[in-house]
């Protein structure tokens, strides 16, 4: 290895991915902030709102496997730029939506453009970080899905009260377009970045980072689709255990991204401005949880524990803790309700290092397809959870909905305990 001190460009790259995830999740969750107003303005029922909340998931989940092929064949610099500008433009158009069908169609379009986002995030981190830093790196960018909502929800609520929900969508979309241009200007692959020295590349490679995951993009783009990769992604028991666990983890997330503000406003009868701040608390807890989950997992590896134990334990503990959401059914005290929600979402954040498993077990030449399949099955929750909750609460009672999401979290924990098995790279 070179005696020259490695540069730290990988951390700047990680910051860029983090910002992209913040924007990504703000554009997923801003509908939940506007939802009560949209329902009132257009006279939409809880069932109709459930379908609108789920619209993003129909395209996002169902296109994950083609998106995985795309990630394996298009360099992140170009792909992320197109994604960011595309979904941000659709977000801007949400500001001029005129009813159920327009809203549903635009949310479908946002889902299409966001399809390759997290497989691309995983590909970037797999290329830029050694294995012993990967848990913290994935936890860092994953935390963006919580920190943006946590800190910016009160801001968006205030913006909505000032310029309306239409203006909020337009401003959010414009922000994403600008960031897309910045991404294209600043992102480079490891071997193309002018500020990276050879020592950092050697450090990443010798630590288990797969430099070729990005370095070989130009060559990979000439390859034909290999459908045996898809067959592999659907046929391995180990992967199915991870997929089921991911569905459970994202189910809790999608409850908070869609129905949580409505739950506080319409079923707990809280003031909307107050809801903006109360909504932030569970997201802050999830942010802390995801950082602690990554740090704890990497600490276990440094202490000599197996990668199987170190990666699975935080996920299992977090999913079990998420079942505490059911406690909100047994109190009318606002403080206790928020406490139960906060504890549950902290657990969800603590379990959110699941991409480390895909990095560790996916075949090297099928990381994108495996990640796409993982994201496809996990994000079926973005379709199922909003719709099921819409039907469960249509009689005015939210308790069955909380029981439902708690039960799904429990199933996810059991999947990691009994199905996943040893964490090791699959031969293919």
């Amino acid at each position: 290895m070179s005696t020259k001190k490695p540069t730290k460009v990988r951390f700047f790259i990680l910051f860029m991915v983090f910002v992209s995830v913040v924007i990504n999740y703000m554009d997923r969750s801003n509908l939940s902030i506007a939802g009560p107003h949209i329902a009132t303005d257009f006279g939409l029922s809880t069932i109709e709102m459930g379908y609108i909340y789920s619209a993003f998931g129909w395209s996002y989940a169902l296109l994950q496997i083609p998106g995985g092929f795309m990630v394996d064949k298009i360099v992140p610099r170009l792909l992320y730029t197109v994604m960011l500008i595309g979904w941000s433009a659709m977000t801007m158009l949400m500001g001029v939506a005129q009813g159920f069908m327009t809203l549903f169609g635009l949310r479908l379009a946002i889902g299409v453009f966001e399809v390759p986002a997290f497989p691309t995030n995983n590909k970037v981190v797999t290329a830029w970080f050694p294995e012993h830093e990967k848990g913290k790196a994935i936890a860092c960018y994953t935390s963006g899905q919580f920190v943006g909502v946590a800190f910016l929800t009160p801001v968006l609520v205030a913006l909505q009260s000032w310029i309306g929900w239409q203006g909020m969508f337009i401003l959010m979309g414009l922000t994403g377009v600008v960031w897309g241009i910045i991404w294209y200007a600043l992102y480079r692959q490891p071997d193309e970045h002018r500020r990276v020295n050879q020592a950092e590349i050697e450090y990443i490679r010798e630590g288990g980072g797969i430099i070729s995951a990005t370095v070989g993009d130009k060559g990979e783009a000439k390859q034909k689709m290999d459908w045996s990769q898809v067959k592999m992604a659907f046929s391995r028991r180990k992967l199915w255990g991870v997929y089921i666990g991911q569905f459970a983890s994202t189910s809790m997330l999608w409850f908070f991204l869609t129905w949580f503000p409505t739950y506080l406003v319409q079923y707990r009868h809280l003031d909307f401005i107050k809801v903006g701040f109360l909504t932030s608390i569970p997201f802050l807890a999830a942010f802390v949880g995801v950082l602690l989950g990554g740090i704890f997992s990497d600490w276990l590896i440094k202490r000599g524990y197996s990668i199987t134990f170190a990666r699975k334990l935080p996920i299992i503990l977090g999913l079990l803790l998420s079942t505490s959401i059911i406690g909100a059914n047994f109190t009318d005290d606002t403080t206790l309700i928020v406490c139960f929600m906060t504890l549950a979402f902290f657990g969800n954040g603590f379990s959110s290092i699941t991409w480390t498993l895909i990095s560790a077990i996916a075949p090297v030449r099928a990381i994108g397809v495996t990640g796409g399949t993982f994201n496809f099955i996990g994000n079926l929750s973005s379709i199922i959870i909003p719709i099921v909750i819409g039907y469960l609460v249509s009689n005015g009672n939210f308790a069955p909905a909380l029981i439902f999401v708690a039960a799904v979290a429990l199933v996810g924990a059991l999947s990691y305990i009994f199905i996943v098995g040893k964490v090791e790279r699959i031969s293919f």
Side-chain angles (χ1 to χ4, degrees), residues 42 44 48 52 55 94 97-108:
F42 296 139
L44 302 175
E48 288 174 314
I52 291 175
M94 290 280 291
Q98 293 298 316
F100 176 86
M101 291 305 299
T102 309
L103 289 166
F104 190 88
L106 287 171
R107 290 293 289 183
L108 281 174

PDB file of all heavy atoms in Angstrom, residues 42 44 48 52 55 94 97-108:
ATOM      1  N   PHE A  42     -60.375  19.021  -2.337  1.00  0.00           N
ATOM      2  CA  PHE A  42     -60.925  18.221  -3.428  1.00  0.00           C
ATOM      3  C   PHE A  42     -62.011  17.248  -2.978  1.00  0.00           C
ATOM      4  O   PHE A  42     -62.541  16.483  -3.793  1.00  0.00           O
ATOM      5  CB  PHE A  42     -59.803  17.431  -4.131  1.00  0.00           C
ATOM      6  CG  PHE A  42     -58.781  18.310  -4.819  1.00  0.00           C
ATOM      7  CD1 PHE A  42     -57.430  18.011  -4.748  1.00  0.00           C
ATOM      8  CD2 PHE A  42     -59.163  19.440  -5.530  1.00  0.00           C
ATOM      9  CE1 PHE A  42     -56.483  18.801  -5.381  1.00  0.00           C
ATOM     10  CE2 PHE A  42     -58.228  20.243  -6.161  1.00  0.00           C
ATOM     11  CZ  PHE A  42     -56.884  19.932  -6.084  1.00  0.00           C
ATOM     12  N   LEU A  44     -61.911  14.544  -0.916  1.00  0.00           N
ATOM     13  CA  LEU A  44     -61.485  13.157  -1.068  1.00  0.00           C
ATOM     14  C   LEU A  44     -61.685  12.380   0.233  1.00  0.00           C
ATOM     15  O   LEU A  44     -61.439  12.893   1.325  1.00  0.00           O
ATOM     16  CB  LEU A  44     -60.013  13.109  -1.481  1.00  0.00           C
ATOM     17  CG  LEU A  44     -59.662  13.837  -2.785  1.00  0.00           C
ATOM     18  CD1 LEU A  44     -58.159  13.811  -3.019  1.00  0.00           C
ATOM     19  CD2 LEU A  44     -60.396  13.205  -3.962  1.00  0.00           C
ATOM     20  N   GLU A  48     -59.815   7.196  -0.868  1.00  0.00           N
ATOM     21  CA  GLU A  48     -59.195   7.860  -2.025  1.00  0.00           C
ATOM     22  C   GLU A  48     -57.812   8.400  -1.674  1.00  0.00           C
ATOM     23  O   GLU A  48     -56.857   8.275  -2.468  1.00  0.00           O
ATOM     24  CB  GLU A  48     -60.101   9.000  -2.507  1.00  0.00           C
ATOM     25  CG  GLU A  48     -61.363   8.521  -3.206  1.00  0.00           C
ATOM     26  CD  GLU A  48     -62.306   9.656  -3.529  1.00  0.00           C
ATOM     27  OE1 GLU A  48     -62.539  10.515  -2.645  1.00  0.00           O
ATOM     28  OE2 GLU A  48     -62.813   9.698  -4.660  1.00  0.00           O
ATOM     29  N   ILE A  52     -54.009   7.679  -3.278  1.00  0.00           N
ATOM     30  CA  ILE A  52     -53.071   8.731  -3.682  1.00  0.00           C
ATOM     31  C   ILE A  52     -51.739   8.560  -2.950  1.00  0.00           C
ATOM     32  O   ILE A  52     -50.661   8.669  -3.555  1.00  0.00           O
ATOM     33  CB  ILE A  52     -53.668  10.125  -3.427  1.00  0.00           C
ATOM     34  CG1 ILE A  52     -54.828  10.384  -4.392  1.00  0.00           C
ATOM     35  CG2 ILE A  52     -52.602  11.209  -3.595  1.00  0.00           C
ATOM     36  CD1 ILE A  52     -55.559  11.678  -4.133  1.00  0.00           C
ATOM     37  N   ALA A  55     -49.799   5.814  -4.645  1.00  0.00           N
ATOM     38  CA  ALA A  55     -49.501   5.924  -6.083  1.00  0.00           C
ATOM     39  C   ALA A  55     -48.005   5.890  -6.357  1.00  0.00           C
ATOM     40  O   ALA A  55     -47.536   5.229  -7.295  1.00  0.00           O
ATOM     41  CB  ALA A  55     -50.111   7.207  -6.646  1.00  0.00           C
ATOM     42  N   MET A  94     -47.004  19.027  -9.084  1.00  0.00           N
ATOM     43  CA  MET A  94     -48.005  18.748  -8.041  1.00  0.00           C
ATOM     44  C   MET A  94     -48.671  20.038  -7.577  1.00  0.00           C
ATOM     45  O   MET A  94     -49.820  20.030  -7.141  1.00  0.00           O
ATOM     46  CB  MET A  94     -47.337  18.055  -6.847  1.00  0.00           C
ATOM     47  CG  MET A  94     -46.884  16.638  -7.091  1.00  0.00           C
ATOM     48  SD  MET A  94     -48.213  15.420  -6.978  1.00  0.00           S
ATOM     49  CE  MET A  94     -48.565  15.459  -5.222  1.00  0.00           C
ATOM     50  N   ALA A  97     -51.821  20.604  -9.595  1.00  0.00           N
ATOM     51  CA  ALA A  97     -52.743  19.469  -9.739  1.00  0.00           C
ATOM     52  C   ALA A  97     -54.181  19.913  -9.509  1.00  0.00           C
ATOM     53  O   ALA A  97     -54.441  20.819  -8.708  1.00  0.00           O
ATOM     54  CB  ALA A  97     -52.372  18.364  -8.756  1.00  0.00           C
ATOM     55  N   GLN A  98     -55.120  19.250 -10.198  1.00  0.00           N
ATOM     56  CA  GLN A  98     -56.522  19.681 -10.147  1.00  0.00           C
ATOM     57  C   GLN A  98     -57.498  18.592  -9.723  1.00  0.00           C
ATOM     58  O   GLN A  98     -58.671  18.685  -9.993  1.00  0.00           O
ATOM     59  CB  GLN A  98     -56.937  20.203 -11.527  1.00  0.00           C
ATOM     60  CG  GLN A  98     -56.232  21.482 -11.940  1.00  0.00           C
ATOM     61  CD  GLN A  98     -56.538  22.638 -10.996  1.00  0.00           C
ATOM     62  OE1 GLN A  98     -57.681  22.855 -10.602  1.00  0.00           O
ATOM     63  NE2 GLN A  98     -55.507  23.383 -10.612  1.00  0.00           N
ATOM     64  N   GLY A  99     -57.025  17.551  -9.077  1.00  0.00           N
ATOM     65  CA  GLY A  99     -57.955  16.535  -8.628  1.00  0.00           C
ATOM     66  C   GLY A  99     -57.289  15.184  -8.447  1.00  0.00           C
ATOM     67  O   GLY A  99     -56.068  15.039  -8.578  1.00  0.00           O
ATOM     68  N   PHE A 100     -58.108  14.175  -8.158  1.00  0.00           N
ATOM     69  CA  PHE A 100     -57.612  12.840  -7.823  1.00  0.00           C
ATOM     70  C   PHE A 100     -56.717  12.270  -8.908  1.00  0.00           C
ATOM     71  O   PHE A 100     -55.598  11.822  -8.641  1.00  0.00           O
ATOM     72  CB  PHE A 100     -58.798  11.895  -7.582  1.00  0.00           C
ATOM     73  CG  PHE A 100     -58.392  10.468  -7.328  1.00  0.00           C
ATOM     74  CD1 PHE A 100     -58.068  10.037  -6.055  1.00  0.00           C
ATOM     75  CD2 PHE A 100     -58.325   9.545  -8.375  1.00  0.00           C
ATOM     76  CE1 PHE A 100     -57.677   8.725  -5.821  1.00  0.00           C
ATOM     77  CE2 PHE A 100     -57.950   8.236  -8.160  1.00  0.00           C
ATOM     78  CZ  PHE A 100     -57.624   7.821  -6.878  1.00  0.00           C
ATOM     79  N   MET A 101     -57.164  12.267 -10.162  1.00  0.00           N
ATOM     80  CA  MET A 101     -56.424  11.612 -11.231  1.00  0.00           C
ATOM     81  C   MET A 101     -55.082  12.315 -11.493  1.00  0.00           C
ATOM     82  O   MET A 101     -54.066  11.659 -11.738  1.00  0.00           O
ATOM     83  CB  MET A 101     -57.254  11.554 -12.509  1.00  0.00           C
ATOM     84  CG  MET A 101     -58.448  10.611 -12.430  1.00  0.00           C
ATOM     85  SD  MET A 101     -57.977   8.920 -11.940  1.00  0.00           S
ATOM     86  CE  MET A 101     -56.886   8.462 -13.287  1.00  0.00           C
ATOM     87  N   THR A 102     -55.075  13.645 -11.460  1.00  0.00           N
ATOM     88  CA  THR A 102     -53.820  14.372 -11.679  1.00  0.00           C
ATOM     89  C   THR A 102     -52.820  14.071 -10.566  1.00  0.00           C
ATOM     90  O   THR A 102     -51.638  13.811 -10.819  1.00  0.00           O
ATOM     91  CB  THR A 102     -54.072  15.884 -11.745  1.00  0.00           C
ATOM     92  OG1 THR A 102     -55.110  16.157 -12.673  1.00  0.00           O
ATOM     93  CG2 THR A 102     -52.813  16.625 -12.163  1.00  0.00           C
ATOM     94  N   LEU A 103     -53.293  14.123  -9.329  1.00  0.00           N
ATOM     95  CA  LEU A 103     -52.421  13.821  -8.200  1.00  0.00           C
ATOM     96  C   LEU A 103     -51.880  12.396  -8.284  1.00  0.00           C
ATOM     97  O   LEU A 103     -50.682  12.149  -8.082  1.00  0.00           O
ATOM     98  CB  LEU A 103     -53.180  14.013  -6.879  1.00  0.00           C
ATOM     99  CG  LEU A 103     -53.496  15.453  -6.479  1.00  0.00           C
ATOM    100  CD1 LEU A 103     -54.531  15.476  -5.363  1.00  0.00           C
ATOM    101  CD2 LEU A 103     -52.224  16.174  -6.031  1.00  0.00           C
ATOM    102  N   PHE A 104     -52.764  11.456  -8.602  1.00  0.00           N
ATOM    103  CA  PHE A 104     -52.362  10.056  -8.701  1.00  0.00           C
ATOM    104  C   PHE A 104     -51.305   9.885  -9.795  1.00  0.00           C
ATOM    105  O   PHE A 104     -50.275   9.227  -9.599  1.00  0.00           O
ATOM    106  CB  PHE A 104     -53.585   9.177  -8.984  1.00  0.00           C
ATOM    107  CG  PHE A 104     -53.324   7.703  -8.880  1.00  0.00           C
ATOM    108  CD1 PHE A 104     -53.449   7.056  -7.658  1.00  0.00           C
ATOM    109  CD2 PHE A 104     -52.954   6.967  -9.985  1.00  0.00           C
ATOM    110  CE1 PHE A 104     -53.207   5.688  -7.546  1.00  0.00           C
ATOM    111  CE2 PHE A 104     -52.711   5.604  -9.900  1.00  0.00           C
ATOM    112  CZ  PHE A 104     -52.839   4.962  -8.671  1.00  0.00           C
ATOM    113  N   GLY A 105     -51.537  10.501 -10.957  1.00  0.00           N
ATOM    114  CA  GLY A 105     -50.606  10.369 -12.078  1.00  0.00           C
ATOM    115  C   GLY A 105     -49.242  10.980 -11.801  1.00  0.00           C
ATOM    116  O   GLY A 105     -48.210  10.397 -12.152  1.00  0.00           O
ATOM    117  N   LEU A 106     -49.223  12.144 -11.154  1.00  0.00           N
ATOM    118  CA  LEU A 106     -47.944  12.792 -10.849  1.00  0.00           C
ATOM    119  C   LEU A 106     -47.160  12.011  -9.808  1.00  0.00           C
ATOM    120  O   LEU A 106     -45.922  11.903  -9.891  1.00  0.00           O
ATOM    121  CB  LEU A 106     -48.180  14.227 -10.381  1.00  0.00           C
ATOM    122  CG  LEU A 106     -48.596  15.205 -11.478  1.00  0.00           C
ATOM    123  CD1 LEU A 106     -49.029  16.537 -10.870  1.00  0.00           C
ATOM    124  CD2 LEU A 106     -47.447  15.421 -12.472  1.00  0.00           C
ATOM    125  N   ARG A 107     -47.857  11.435  -8.838  1.00  0.00           N
ATOM    126  CA  ARG A 107     -47.154  10.608  -7.853  1.00  0.00           C
ATOM    127  C   ARG A 107     -46.601   9.340  -8.502  1.00  0.00           C
ATOM    128  O   ARG A 107     -45.508   8.873  -8.145  1.00  0.00           O
ATOM    129  CB  ARG A 107     -48.083  10.260  -6.694  1.00  0.00           C
ATOM    130  CG  ARG A 107     -48.436  11.436  -5.801  1.00  0.00           C
ATOM    131  CD  ARG A 107     -47.242  11.959  -5.023  1.00  0.00           C
ATOM    132  NE  ARG A 107     -46.820  11.052  -3.973  1.00  0.00           N
ATOM    133  CZ  ARG A 107     -45.835  11.313  -3.110  1.00  0.00           C
ATOM    134  NH1 ARG A 107     -45.167  12.450  -3.202  1.00  0.00           N
ATOM    135  NH2 ARG A 107     -45.499  10.441  -2.178  1.00  0.00           N
ATOM    136  N   LEU A 108     -47.322   8.781  -9.459  1.00  0.00           N
ATOM    137  CA  LEU A 108     -46.776   7.665 -10.231  1.00  0.00           C
ATOM    138  C   LEU A 108     -45.479   8.079 -10.927  1.00  0.00           C
ATOM    139  O   LEU A 108     -44.487   7.334 -10.920  1.00  0.00           O
ATOM    140  CB  LEU A 108     -47.780   7.193 -11.284  1.00  0.00           C
ATOM    141  CG  LEU A 108     -48.940   6.302 -10.845  1.00  0.00           C
ATOM    142  CD1 LEU A 108     -49.884   6.086 -12.028  1.00  0.00           C
ATOM    143  CD2 LEU A 108     -48.444   4.953 -10.334  1.00  0.00           C
TER     144      LEU A 108
END
